[in-house]
Amino acid sequence: MRNPVIHRSRRAGFNMTPMIDVVFLLIIFFLVSSHLARQELRLELPLPVAQSGEDDPAVPAPRVTINVDAEGNVTVGGRAVAMHEIGEQLVTARRELGDTMEVRIRGSRLTEYGAVEPVMLACTRAGIWNVSYAVWRQEH
């Protein structure tokens, strides 16, 4: 009895499955991270009213948003942060985002200055000069 001869005409190729898995994971990561960034800006805070001010620039700098509510509780990135941790987080963010990063402070209009001052001092100690405050512009 003669053994059959097997001809291998199959060429070596790339397996695309792992690459497709990585692409889907990246898509999910960016969807979740953009949702969290938008959620942070939608935190219900009654912002102070200002008669003057400037709109955001067309090309924004990398930004860290710090929310301070009426009780003085601080949240960064949607996560509650103790006041002594803010300085460390700002130094790390400046190292990652560069010297042009912006810190936006969103303080409730009911927040006392004593709750916002440590955030401003932490920015100064971290070497961050680009600090802005979120307010509602009063229409005339």
Side-chain angles (χ1 to χ4, degrees), residues 32-102:
V32 170
S33 63
S34 68
H35 174 72
L36 291 176
R38 277 185 269 130
Q39 183 180 2
E40 180 178 273
L41 294 177
R42 292 182 182 158
L43 180 67
E44 288 296 323
L45 284 177
L47 296 176
V49 178
Q51 295 180 0
S52 64
E54 298 176 9
D55 290 333
D56 286 340
V59 181
R63 178 184 300 152
V64 173
T65 303
I66 300 175
N67 295 299
V68 184
D69 66 9
E71 288 80 32
N73 300 320
V74 178
T75 58
V76 178
R79 184 175 73 86
V81 176
M83 197 59 77
H84 66 276
E85 296 175 356
I86 292 176
E88 298 166 8
Q89 288 191 356
L90 289 174
V91 168
T92 303
R94 182 172 176 231
R95 201 175 308 126
E96 292 173 1
L97 300 174
D99 292 337
T100 61
M101 74 169 274
E102 174 189 0

Side-chain angles (χ1 to χ4, degrees), residues 50-52 137-140:
Q51 295 180 0
S52 64
R137 180 180 288 179
Q138 186 177 21
E139 299 297 325
H140 297 285

Side-chain angles (χ1 to χ4, degrees), residues 1 26 38 76 109:
M1 177 173 274
L26 286 173
R38 277 185 269 130
V76 178
R109 71 176 65 129

Side-chain angles (χ1 to χ4, degrees), residues 13-47:
F14 293 106
N15 186 359
M16 296 297 289
T17 305
M19 188 174 82
I20 292 171
D21 290 344
V22 169
V23 169
F24 279 126
L25 286 174
L26 286 173
I27 290 171
I28 291 170
F29 170 77
F30 287 117
L31 286 173
V32 170
S33 63
S34 68
H35 174 72
L36 291 176
R38 277 185 269 130
Q39 183 180 2
E40 180 178 273
L41 294 177
R42 292 182 182 158
L43 180 67
E44 288 296 323
L45 284 177
L47 296 176

